Amino acid sequence: DGTLHRFRTIKFTYKDVDDRNLLAGVTVDMTEQVMREEALREANLQLELLATTDSLTALFNGRVFGSRAAIEFSNAKRRRRPLSVLVMDIDNFKRRNDTFGHAAGDAALQTVGRILNGCVRMGDIAARLGGEEFGFLLPDTNASGAIDLAFRVQTALTQQVQGPSPLTVSVGVSSMTEEIDSWEQLLCRADDAMYEAKRSGKNRVVHHDSLLASAIQPPSSPAISLEHA
C-alpha cells in the first residue's frame, strides 16, 4: 500500500540433524521502534536548540557564549594567538519600546540578530547576551579586524529599512593582551568600551586599549550624532 517499513534481519548458519550446513534467517519489523527513536532524536535536538539558542534572534545565548569564550581564551593564551570581543548595545532601546511598543523592540532585536548572523565567519560566535546587548567572539582576530567588523555591522544597519526610529548600535571592542587573565576580564573591557561609546554620543565604536577607552571614528564617514536616552 506504499507504506514504508523498516526491518532488522539476522542470518546465521547451523547444522541440521543430518549434519547438513544450512542458512537460516530471522526478520523483525522494526518500523514502530525506529519511528520512536527518530522522534526521540528530534525531540532531543529541539531541546538542545532551546538550551543553546535565543529564540527571538536565532543567535546563540549567553551560556553558549561564555563556554566558547572560555575555550577560545585558553587556546589564545596558550598559543599566543589574537582574540577579540565585541559588545554591542542597541541605542535608545527603552525609548523605542516605551514609544512604539514591544513589537518594535522585538523587530529591532531580530534585525540586529539577522545582521550578526550574516557577519559570522567559521569559528566566530555571535550571541544575544541579554536584553538589547549582543556579543561577538572573534578568534584569530586582532583589534583592527574587530573594529572593521564593528563598522560593517553599523553600515549594514544603515542599509536596512528603518522602522519608526533609526536603528543604531554602540560597540565596545576589546582585544587580547598579556595582562588579561580571563575571558571575563576581556568581556568586561569590551563592556566598559561600549558604555564609553554610549557616553560619547552613541552609534560609535570604542576600543579599550591598555585600560583607556579611546573613541574611533570610521575612516570615511563621521559617527552619527543621536540624542541621549
Side-chain angles (χ1 to χ4, degrees):
D1 61 358
T3 303
L4 177 66
H5 285 263
R6 307 285 183 88
F7 296 95
R8 176 172 294 162
T9 300
I10 302 172
K11 298 176 182 178
F12 53 92
T13 60
Y14 75 102
K15 290 182 181 292
D16 67 3
V17 293
D18 298 322
D19 203 35
R20 292 178 300 180
N21 289 321
L22 301 177
L23 179 67
V26 177
T27 298
V28 180
D29 190 338
M30 303 292 293
T31 306
E32 289 189 8
Q33 180 177 336
V34 170
M35 290 177 64
R36 286 196 299 268
E37 291 174 352
E38 290 178 345
L40 180 60
R41 279 196 298 270
E42 180 64 26
N44 286 335
L45 285 174
Q46 291 299 320
L47 287 174
E48 182 179 358
L49 189 64
L50 289 172
T52 60
T53 307
D54 175 62
S55 59
L56 186 62
T57 62
L59 298 173
F60 286 116
N61 58 26
R63 185 172 66 174
V64 174
F65 185 89
S67 64
R68 280 293 304 274
I71 294 170
E72 295 298 342
F73 181 86
S74 177
N75 289 338
K77 195 82 170 174
R78 184 173 64 254
R79 300 174 182 175
R80 301 189 177 212
R81 301 291 297 171
L83 175 67
S84 294
V85 170
L86 304 183
V87 172
M88 55 189 69
D89 191 89
I90 298 177
D91 295 325
N92 305 311
F93 187 75
K94 184 178 184 302
R95 178 183 300 174
R96 182 184 297 268
N97 272 342
D98 292 345
T99 304
F100 305 107
H102 288 283
D106 288 349
L109 292 168
Q110 290 171 331
T111 298
V112 174
R114 186 169 61 253
I115 287 173
L116 294 187
N117 265 320
C119 293
V120 169
R121 307 166 304 178
M122 184 71 70
D124 294 346
I125 290 290
R128 182 184 177 193
L129 302 182
E132 67 272 25
E133 190 169 277
F134 298 83
F136 220 131
L137 183 67
L138 304 170
D140 290 314
T141 305
N142 59 20
S144 177
I147 291 167
D148 286 344
L149 175 61
F151 285 138
R152 288 208 310 272
V153 170
Q154 290 184 324
T155 299
L157 279 173
T158 65
Q159 296 171 347
Q160 297 295 306
V161 176
Q162 296 296 322
S165 64
L167 178 56
T168 63
V169 291
S170 296
V171 187
V173 183
S174 179
S175 302
M176 192 79 162
T177 59
E178 290 186 0
E179 68 269 18
I180 296 179
D181 298 320
S182 67
W183 73 265
E184 291 93 343
Q185 187 179 3
L186 186 66
L187 181 65
C188 185
R189 287 186 173 197
D191 204 48
D192 290 344
M194 183 271 292
Y195 280 109
E196 177 62 26
K198 291 279 192 186
R199 288 190 292 269
S200 300
K202 305 179 184 177
N203 193 29
R204 281 166 167 75
V205 176
V206 171
H207 181 255
H208 194 293
D209 185 15
S210 299
L211 301 179
L212 295 175
S214 55
I216 303 167
Q217 300 296 330
S220 58
S221 58
I224 301 171
S225 178
L226 300 177
E227 58 184 89
H228 292 263

